[in-house]
Amino acid sequence: MKKYLLLFPEIFFTALGTYWAYKNLTVNQSVNYIALLVIAIMVFQIIFSKRGLGLMMGALLTLFSFYMMLAAVSDYRDFPEGDSAGTRFLLLALGFFLLSALIGAGMVVKFGRQKNTPGAASETITV
């Protein structure tokens, strides 16, 4: 159970990338290569559990989530003042991207504690 719980960040971002690719394919009839790249990297990370890649992806996804929080606030300003749809949009967007940022930060912590050996997803340095 603990092994699957440690894989939650990678599974979360793989599912998010899959939804993103599917949505672009059905709505715009276009292939989203960035979403496919995220899916491929996360699947690779689930299989091989590389420390450097995990740290880099966790940091990038955390920063991207904070960027999207700022974008949500910017989009909220386009709504008329006092509009309930705008408030609902802001709360959902900020909640979702804050959750994504926390999960990305969890990846950084997880791989920051990991020893530098291949396949050591559940091994951590104890103090």
Side-chain angles (χ1 to χ4, degrees):
M1 180 70 178
K2 182 179 177 183
K3 178 181 177 182
Y4 296 114
L5 189 59
L6 288 173
L7 289 176
F8 178 74
E10 290 90 344
I11 294 169
F12 175 80
F13 287 117
T14 302
L16 193 60
T18 303
Y19 176 75
W20 187 19
Y22 172 77
K23 206 62 168 158
N24 275 331
L25 190 61
T26 58
V27 173
N28 301 334
Q29 284 78 35
S30 64
V31 177
N32 186 342
Y33 294 106
I34 296 173
L36 294 178
L37 180 65
V38 168
I39 295 167
I41 289 172
M42 287 296 125
V43 168
F44 178 85
Q45 188 63 13
I46 289 170
I47 295 169
F48 297 108
S49 187
K50 298 293 183 181
R51 182 175 190 252
L53 184 63
L55 287 170
M56 181 186 68
M57 287 304 294
L60 286 174
L61 291 168
T62 301
L63 290 174
F64 181 72
S65 295
F66 283 128
Y67 168 77
M68 290 305 295
M69 287 171 72
L70 293 174
V73 170
S74 175
D75 284 346
Y76 171 71
R77 293 181 183 197
D78 293 339
F79 283 94
E81 191 168 329
D83 186 25
S84 65
T87 305
R88 186 174 46 237
F89 164 77
L90 182 65
L91 290 175
L92 287 173
L94 289 180
F96 178 75
F97 291 121
L98 181 62
L99 176 67
S100 295
L102 291 173
I103 292 172
M107 276 184 74
V108 172
V109 169
K110 176 176 102 171
F111 287 104
R113 291 181 175 175
Q114 180 178 321
K115 292 180 182 178
N116 220 359
T117 57
S122 63
E123 296 177 14
T124 57
I125 299 172
T126 56
V127 179

